[in-house]
Amino acid sequence: MAILMATTSSTLGSKREPATATAVGTRRKRPFLLDLYSTAVGKKYVMAISGIAMMGFVLFHMIGNLKMYQGAEALNHYAEFLKKLLYPLAPKGVVLWILRGGLITMLLLHLHAAWSLTRLNRFARAVKYQGPRDYQVAKFASRTMRWTGIIVLAYLVWHLLDFTFGTVNAVGTDGTFVRGEVYENVVRSLDRPVVAAFYVLANVLLGIHLFHGAWSIFQSLGWNNPRFNTWRRGFATGFATIVVVGNVSFPIAVIAGIVK
Ligand code: HEM
């Protein structure tokens, strides 16, 4: 009894210490979303949500580019339409810039989350995968994502210099880059076989990245019941195939003279 009373009074009398270092100091004052982002689960959520937003972009970008098959007027008109979104309610170009801002934010979040998840995995894998096979599969997938991601990023930089700024698209068959002549700029660039081959290769790598990404989204968001695996695989395969087939068709159509 004496021992019990002594223990109880010493417990009540002393202040409770925080259980972990993470509960101490500045961490507790951080906004909820930043606190969540400091965890692996939070980073995976950011990876998945920014990935979904960019998947939406690549899908709609590909669908929009199909206008190429309707001719120069249709594609150039579509590019002009994007600039005039919600015009005259909003000034010309404003909505497009808001969308671009959102896309850039998603890309930066995706890159940061990927970088910090890689660091977390490298330095703090407390729980090993169950077996050597699981380990090999996970390692192969994450390595593939890293390399295809880096190459797609390099492709994106080239692509913007090619079709948006025109800096690498000045040696076409009949002249130089002209702002607003979207169709003609695409044909001038993809008419070069090396560039066309590069577009095909980069878009196939994008497809591999999209396949793994679309598959992983469900895992990252915690919807990974094995019962849905067939559905998940179908979705990932279907999505990646549609985007790749559409995108790869453009350089092939230009080289084949279907789009000229
Ligand atoms: C062969 C496939 C593709 C073609 C023919 C194509 C075509 C184009 C064209 C013509 C533009 C300029 C549009 C304008 O100035 O109005 C453009 C912009 C852009 N493309 Fe692509 N694209 C392709 C694939 C991709 C892919 C796979 C990505 C992403 C990984 C991508 C990301 C972008 C971005 C971010 C812009 C800038 C959009 C803007 O400034 O509003 N494109 N693309």
Side-chain angles (χ1 to χ4, degrees):
M1 187 63 178
I3 294 171
L4 180 66
M5 282 179 67
T7 316
T8 314
S9 67
S10 78
T11 312
L12 290 175
S14 64
K15 272 193 174 162
R16 256 186 94 218
E17 292 296 326
T20 64
T22 53
V24 190
T26 54
R27 268 177 174 260
R28 196 187 280 168
K29 294 188 199 96
R30 259 203 306 224
F32 170 72
L33 284 179
L34 268 187
D35 215 29
L36 180 63
Y37 187 64
S38 70
T39 68
V41 172
K43 289 181 207 303
K44 284 186 179 175
Y45 262 89
V46 168
M47 218 45 214
I49 291 164
S50 55
I52 292 171
M54 291 191 290
M55 280 166 68
F57 169 78
V58 286
L59 180 66
F60 282 103
H61 189 46
M62 186 279 288
I63 293 172
N65 284 337
L66 289 175
K67 290 255 172 248
M68 212 178 290
Y69 292 114
Q70 292 181 310
E73 207 188 320
L75 186 68
N76 294 348
H77 183 262
Y78 170 66
E80 196 52 32
F81 156 81
L82 288 179
K83 283 192 197 113
K84 283 195 189 151
L85 278 176
L86 286 189
Y87 177 80
L89 195 62
K92 227 174 158 184
V94 166
V95 175
L96 185 59
W97 269 108
I98 292 172
L99 292 175
R100 282 172 176 159
L103 194 62
I104 293 168
T105 310
M106 291 300 134
L107 177 65
L108 293 177
L109 285 174
H110 202 71
L111 293 176
H112 189 271
W115 173 76
S116 54
L117 267 175
T118 306
R119 272 174 60 96
L120 267 186
N121 284 346
R122 196 166 288 164
F123 298 120
R125 189 185 298 291
V127 183
K128 293 259 183 256
Y129 289 106
Q130 282 176 358
R133 200 194 154 272
D134 290 349
Y135 190 76
Q136 289 304 325
V137 170
K139 212 167 143 187
F140 177 75
S142 64
R143 214 177 263 172
T144 310
M145 285 310 266
R146 208 171 310 141
W147 281 109
T148 51
I150 290 169
I151 296 168
V152 168
L153 189 63
Y155 160 78
L156 182 61
V157 173
W158 165 275
H159 181 57
L160 292 178
L161 293 176
D162 194 9
F163 291 156
T164 302
F165 302 109
T167 24
V168 294
N169 187 2
V171 287
T173 46
D174 64 346
T176 54
F177 178 88
V178 181
R179 196 165 296 281
E181 286 188 5
V182 179
Y183 180 93
E184 292 80 355
N185 291 334
V186 170
V187 175
R188 276 180 205 123
S189 176
L190 299 182
D191 215 16
R192 299 169 290 177
V194 176
V195 175
F198 173 58
Y199 267 86
V200 170
L201 179 70
N203 276 288
V204 169
L205 293 175
L206 170 72
I208 296 170
H209 194 84
L210 284 176
F211 172 76
H212 276 299
W215 169 262
S216 313
I217 282 170
F218 301 92
Q219 197 102 16
S220 301
L221 297 177
W223 306 328
N224 54 351
N225 191 313
R227 274 190 304 155
F228 303 132
N229 275 357
T230 314
W231 189 89
R232 278 171 72 189
R233 185 163 295 119
F235 169 74
T237 312
F239 185 86
T241 307
I242 288 172
V243 172
V244 173
V245 169
N247 278 349
V248 160
S249 79
F250 304 126
I252 293 176
V254 174
I255 289 291
I258 299 165
V259 169
K260 53 189 173 210

